[in-house]
Amino acid sequence: MKNTLIVALSLWTLNMWCQTAEINSQIDRVTQSAMKAFNVPGIAVAVIKDGKIIHSKGYGVRSIDSKNTVDENTLFGIASNSKAFTAAALAILVDQNKIEWDDKVVKYIPEFKMYNDYVTQEFTIRDLLTHRSGLGLGAGDLMIWPDGHDFTPQDIINNIQYLKPVSGFRAQYDYDNLLYIIAGIVLERVSGMSWASFVETEIMKPIGMTASAGNWNRLTDKTNVIVPHVPIDGKLTVIPRYTNTILDAAGGIYSNINDLSKWVQLQLNHGSWNDIKVFSAGVQREMWTPQTWISTQTTPPYNTLFSAYGLGWQLADVAGSLQVSHTGGLEGIVTQITLLPQQNLGIIVLTNQQSGAAFQSITNTIKNHYLALPYQDFVAHYQNRVAQNNNEAALIVDEVWTTVNNNKKSSNSVKALEALIGKYRDAWLGEVNIYKEKNKIIFASKRSPELQGEIHFYKDDVYTVRWDNQSFNADAFIKIKVQDNKIEFFEMEAISPLTDFSYDFHDLHFIPTS
């Protein structure tokens, strides 16, 4: 009997070793393939199964300039994966009976004000975390993007009242960042600590996330950190790092797969780490409970029937199993964390280029393995989709700039451009100056100096601005409203359909001030 048991255990161990070797080999192949297909210089991948780290590895380089390699300790900005930390931090205050999820925001921030007075008075902490405010996708994000601006969290509180809703309060899902920043302010006012200090002290320290920090500036060791990369005109380029602390509660954390594996295990263990309870199973269930429904398509291989947002997490069913996940994106950095609680599985993919197709290819390959789904070449699948999207966007953008170039030398073009010269003001972005410099008409934002570029005549009462910083991929239309031969106001809109939603030019409304 004893020998039989030993043989059975040996066979089980061998089988598990073979399965682990198989998935590790598969991860190596798909990661290398994704890096090549989507021009990503560096990726880190971790897989946690049944409480054990079965894969933790870096691929490629931290920077195309330095060529230093990525490993399991390399730090990445995890961007919006920080939102789950904000939800967990507030959950700790709920456990401590210092707040409730449905407390009104004005209880803690009396100056908080939305566009509608009723919404202001009814807005709860839960509403801050669930993307159902009625504001449009990424509304007001130009107060946080691009870096180099002088906006503060208090400015966001003061200015959010000027953002007009696009849907009814709690009526539909539209992803936002600003309300997570305000959630961080609630945390600070209740706890008496900064958001970054609270997260580091109450979450990271207890579970041993020793290399991580609430933002770039708080990292104690920056010797093993990636740099962000963006393709500009087909060439991969290193760009400056986003370092503004205004983003902390919405996307500030820097971490690595070694530390994040502990965070994933904390989540899968319902708020407990070894013998330490960071937050209760009750508040953890609340974070994984659907709060705002998201439209979805039921397509193979996952045949998802529902999709929703919880508190800091996206929720869906994949092939009959619950998926708890989130993505994150900074300029030149994108990340993904995926949990399959019923499989006791966690997947972490961090990258130093802004191609979401890379992390999707890797994550889905790993998911298919553990869900016992047929192997699929996700790299080829997403490569085709990316190529199609890029081609469609290129047709739109090329037509615009061809028209601009054709009209550039006409006398009407010169007169129309000079008529724009003056100062204008938007209620929340503030002042912009349009002026002439060396025969060029320049758009310059006072509060966000990176938003500067040359204005060109397009056609009719529509102009374009090409930003000096082309890493944004966010050139925009300027649409003039003329009344009695005077500019009454102008509005803006991104030219390319691939421009990131955080460049929310469509929320701006500029009126002349001089």
Side-chain angles (χ1 to χ4, degrees):
M1 180 68 179
K2 183 177 179 181
N3 289 339
T4 302
L5 180 61
I6 291 172
V7 170
L9 286 172
S10 298
L11 289 173
W12 180 86
T13 301
L14 179 62
N15 182 54
M16 293 303 295
W17 182 88
C18 290
Q19 288 186 32
T20 300
E22 178 187 352
I23 187 59
N24 283 340
S25 176
Q26 204 171 83
I27 293 169
D28 287 345
R29 290 196 300 271
V30 71
T31 302
Q32 296 289 354
S33 178
M35 290 170 64
K36 182 178 180 180
F38 305 114
N39 201 13
V40 181
I43 295 180
V45 182
V47 177
I48 302 90
K49 180 75 169 81
D50 297 326
K52 295 180 180 180
I53 299 172
I54 66 162
H55 188 95
S56 185
K57 188 174 179 181
Y59 302 83
V61 296
R62 300 176 230 159
S63 166
I64 58 173
D65 292 338
S66 72
K67 302 292 193 296
N68 291 326
T69 57
V70 175
D71 59 32
E72 67 275 15
N73 296 308
T74 300
L75 293 159
F76 293 72
I78 70 169
S80 285
N81 277 295
S82 305
K83 288 180 169 68
F85 284 81
T86 296
L90 290 167
I92 292 170
L93 296 184
V94 172
D95 278 337
Q96 295 172 350
N97 296 316
K98 293 182 178 179
I99 64 170
E100 294 183 5
W101 294 117
D102 295 311
D103 281 346
K104 303 296 194 292
V105 174
V106 291
K107 178 179 179 180
Y108 305 103
I109 308 177
E111 68 273 32
F112 173 78
K113 187 176 181 181
M114 298 291 285
Y115 192 80
N116 179 285
D117 288 339
Y118 169 79
V119 175
T120 298
Q121 296 306 315
E122 293 300 312
F123 218 92
T124 65
I125 293 173
R126 188 187 303 271
D127 292 320
L128 292 174
L129 304 178
T130 49
H131 308 296
R132 61 186 190 185
S133 66
L135 297 179
L137 175 64
D141 274 5
L142 282 171
M143 285 186 279
I144 55 178
W145 307 110
D147 203 359
H149 61 81
D150 68 358
F151 289 97
T152 67
Q154 190 61 45
D155 285 325
I156 289 175
I157 292 174
N158 295 338
N159 291 344
I160 200 168
Q161 64 183 298
Y162 301 116
L163 294 167
K164 295 181 180 180
V166 299
S167 65
F169 180 40
R170 299 175 183 156
Q172 71 179 42
Y173 173 87
D174 275 301
Y175 191 85
D176 71 73
N177 287 301
L178 300 193
L179 293 171
Y180 264 83
I181 293 171
I182 294 174
I185 296 171
V186 171
L187 177 82
E188 292 176 348
R189 294 196 180 181
V190 173
S191 69
M193 302 170 65
S194 72
W195 177 90
S197 294
F198 188 96
V199 167
E200 290 169 10
T201 303
E202 301 297 328
I203 299 176
M204 293 180 178
K205 185 177 179 181
I207 67 174
M209 295 180 66
T210 55
S212 304
N215 61 50
W216 162 258
N217 305 292
R218 296 173 67 91
L219 288 173
T220 56
D221 185 354
K222 299 177 180 177
T223 57
N224 187 0
V225 188
I226 59 93
V227 299
H229 299 79
V230 170
I232 302 176
D233 296 329
K235 181 181 179 182
L236 199 62
T237 305
V238 171
I239 63 168
R241 184 187 312 279
Y242 188 101
T243 61
N244 198 308
T245 59
I246 193 173
L247 189 63
D248 286 3
I253 290 174
Y254 265 75
S255 190
N256 56 37
I257 54 173
N258 185 30
D259 278 4
L260 287 171
S261 294
K262 300 170 185 176
W263 166 246
V264 163
Q265 291 179 74
L266 176 71
Q267 291 290 328
L268 292 172
N269 290 334
H270 310 292
S272 294
W273 169 259
N274 295 330
D275 295 327
I276 300 169
K277 185 177 290 295
V278 178
F279 47 83
S280 69
V283 295
Q284 194 266 340
R285 282 193 299 272
E286 193 76 12
M287 288 185 276
W288 287 6
T289 297
Q291 309 286 333
T292 306
W293 295 103
I294 305 172
S295 62
T296 189
Q297 292 182 334
T298 304
T299 55
Y302 303 122
N303 298 311
T304 296
L305 298 174
F306 90 90
S307 182
Y309 200 90
L311 303 176
W313 291 100
Q314 295 159 338
L315 310 168
D317 67 302
V318 292
S321 292
L322 173 65
Q323 175 177 281
V324 180
S325 66
H326 215 287
T327 59
L330 295 167
E331 288 170 339
I333 307 172
V334 291
T335 65
Q336 185 174 48
I337 296 177
T338 306
L339 313 175
L340 297 178
Q342 289 154 290
Q343 283 71 30
N344 201 13
L345 174 69
I347 305 165
I348 306 163
V349 185
L350 311 178
T351 83
N352 62 355
Q353 203 262 66
Q354 56 192 40
S355 170
F359 67 57
Q360 287 284 19
S361 299
I362 297 165
T363 296
N364 287 354
T365 299
I366 298 168
K367 277 163 50 178
N368 275 25
H369 175 86
Y370 285 103
L371 292 170
L373 295 172
Y375 175 81
Q376 180 175 340
D377 188 346
F378 284 106
V379 171
H381 169 77
Y382 286 111
Q383 200 170 18
N384 290 336
R385 182 183 293 184
V386 167
Q388 181 179 345
N389 291 342
N390 286 342
N391 289 338
E392 291 173 357
L395 289 174
I396 294 170
V397 172
D398 290 347
E399 184 280 328
V400 170
W401 292 111
T402 298
T403 302
V404 166
N405 288 329
N406 289 340
N407 292 333
K408 186 171 288 186
K409 295 182 179 180
S410 71
S411 58
N412 287 339
S413 169
V414 175
K415 290 178 181 178
L417 282 166
E418 291 187 344
L420 298 178
I421 293 173
K423 292 184 178 180
Y424 302 81
R425 183 171 184 82
D426 173 75
W428 56 270
L429 188 66
E431 184 180 298
V432 300
N433 187 18
I434 296 178
Y435 60 93
K436 188 173 184 178
E437 181 180 80
K438 297 179 180 178
N439 293 321
K440 295 181 179 181
I441 304 300
I442 306 298
F443 178 108
S445 168
K446 182 177 181 180
R447 300 202 64 178
S448 188
E450 284 294 307
L451 291 179
Q452 177 168 312
E454 184 180 1
I455 299 176
H456 305 268
F457 176 71
Y458 175 51
K459 60 184 177 181
D460 301 325
D461 290 327
V462 182
Y463 302 77
T464 62
V465 56
R466 187 192 295 270
W467 306 114
D468 295 341
N469 188 337
Q470 282 292 290
S471 70
F472 301 159
N473 188 28
D475 294 340
F477 289 116
I478 296 175
K479 298 181 177 182
I480 304 295
K481 171 65 174 177
V482 177
Q483 185 73 30
D484 298 328
N485 294 320
K486 292 184 179 180
I487 295 174
E488 185 178 356
F489 63 84
F490 74 79
E491 296 178 334
M492 301 180 70
E493 179 184 345
I495 295 172
S496 172
L498 297 182
T499 294
D500 189 273
F501 66 78
S502 284
Y503 290 96
D504 63 316
F505 302 115
H506 49 276
D507 291 315
L508 297 168
H509 181 87
F510 287 99
I511 59 174
T513 60
S514 67

